[in-house]
Amino acid sequence: DTGVSQDPRHKITKRGQNVTFRCDPISEHNRLYWYRQTLGQGPEFLTYFQNEAQLEKSRLLSDRFSAERPKGSFSTLEIQRTEQGDSAMYLCASSLMGSTATEAFFGQGTRLTVV
Amino acid sequence: GEDVEQSLFLSVREGDSSVINCTYTDSSSTYLYWYKQEPGAGLQLLTYIFSNMDMKQDQRLTVLLNKKDKHLSLRIADTQTGDSAIYFCAAHTGRRALTFGSGTRLQVQP
């Protein structure tokens, strides 16, 4: 296990379509985060899981967004009825609860382009 | 909520030191982080500092924290062309997630 992996790396979709992204965290990490990064900005928090429980959701996470982590391992982020404003890099990160610094390790991201 | 601010751009010559600055608003921030992002890549954790520390050194990297002014800096000694990237400051408070700045683009000229 070399780190956090995300799939796909790139996704181009037409407006109105649904898309789903997958994140596989570092295997022993029990915390998983989703962030969104638009051009020229830092990542913005979307949602966070501890094991399979979704503990926090940002106001950025509209009703069209849903995230799951059914077995406390990998996670999926689905966007329904995509809009052009959803175009961004979607980053996943994981960390280990109880680690001294709660440092989060990030995946390479999924770049979404809505046309 | 927490707000993290950074200058947008820094240009240095190879071999010089780079200093990237960051300010944050929430005095209860417990950990402060520096991440590096190269084009098309994810975020790489460089270093972090706990809020009860003033300084942390890690090879070419030195982090200084002024808790009174809520000011954080990252110094890169002997900057190399491979250090060219965007550097993000991030703060961790009681929330589980990080709050990031907008990033500082470091350009290293040969």
Side-chain angles (χ1 to χ4, degrees), chain A residues 57-76:
Chain A
K57 290 195 285 188
S58 158
R59 284 171 291 179
L60 292 176
L61 211 67
S62 76
D63 291 343
R64 295 185 297 107
F65 287 69
S66 62
E68 293 182 346
R69 195 183 182 198
K71 297 180 181 178
S73 56
F74 74 91
S75 175
T76 57

Side-chain angles (χ1 to χ4, degrees), chain A residues 9 14 17-18 34 36 45-47 52 55 60-61 64 70 75 78 99 101:
Chain A
R9 292 290 309 278
K14 290 185 178 179
Q17 298 293 304
N18 299 345
W34 285 99
R36 182 177 71 183
F45 169 70
L46 291 178
T47 189
E52 65 275 9
L55 296 187
L60 292 176
L61 211 67
R64 295 185 297 107
S75 175
E78 182 184 16
S99 61

Side-chain angles (χ1 to χ4, degrees), chain A:
Chain A
D1 190 323
T2 57
V4 179
S5 64
Q6 293 187 243
D7 183 69
R9 292 290 309 278
H10 303 274
K11 178 72 177 177
I12 300 174
T13 192
K14 290 185 178 179
R15 191 174 50 188
Q17 298 293 304
N18 299 345
V19 294
T20 300
F21 311 140
R22 177 181 169 121
C23 171
D24 287 89
I26 294 171
S27 58
E28 65 269 25
H29 284 186
N30 48 15
R31 288 181 171 172
L32 188 148
Y33 312 80
W34 285 99
Y35 289 82
R36 182 177 71 183
Q37 185 179 20
T38 53
L39 202 60
Q41 299 297 316
E44 297 171 291
F45 169 70
L46 291 178
T47 189
Y48 148 70
F49 290 86
Q50 184 164 301
N51 300 313
E52 65 275 9
Q54 188 173 18
L55 296 187
E56 190 171 354
K57 290 195 285 188
S58 158
R59 284 171 291 179
L60 292 176
L61 211 67
S62 76
D63 291 343
R64 295 185 297 107
F65 287 69
S66 62
E68 293 182 346
R69 195 183 182 198
K71 297 180 181 178
S73 56
F74 74 91
S75 175
T76 57
L77 176 68
E78 182 184 16
I79 309 174
Q80 295 182 322
R81 304 181 303 283
T82 51
E83 302 173 356
Q84 287 189 320
D86 297 330
S87 295
M89 176 79 88
Y90 290 84
L91 294 165
C92 175
S94 69
S95 70
L96 181 62
M97 183 180 69
S99 61
T100 55
T102 66
E103 60 264 31
F105 295 90
F106 282 79
Q108 301 273 61
T110 294
R111 182 169 295 283
L112 173 67
T113 303
V114 181
V115 297

Side-chain angles (χ1 to χ4, degrees), chain B residues 31-73:
Chain B
Y31 288 99
L32 296 135
Y33 301 83
W34 285 103
Y35 283 86
K36 176 183 180 182
Q37 188 175 40
E38 294 179 275
L43 292 163
Q44 175 194 354
L45 176 64
L46 287 178
T47 187
Y48 64 90
I49 189 167
F50 187 49
S51 58
N52 69 353
M53 299 168 65
D54 298 325
M55 185 182 85
K56 181 179 180 181
Q57 187 151 3
D58 185 0
Q59 299 182 337
R60 292 190 298 122
L61 305 179
T62 303
V63 179
L64 294 178
L65 175 60
N66 182 328
K67 201 175 175 186
K68 173 176 169 290
D69 294 338
K70 297 195 274 291
H71 182 269
L72 182 74
S73 67

Side-chain angles (χ1 to χ4, degrees), chain B residues 13-16 60 76-84 106 108:
Chain B
R13 290 195 180 278
E14 193 173 17
D16 288 349
R60 292 190 298 122
I76 305 172
D78 186 26
T79 314
Q80 302 297 306
T81 53
D83 295 324
S84 294
L106 175 64
V108 183

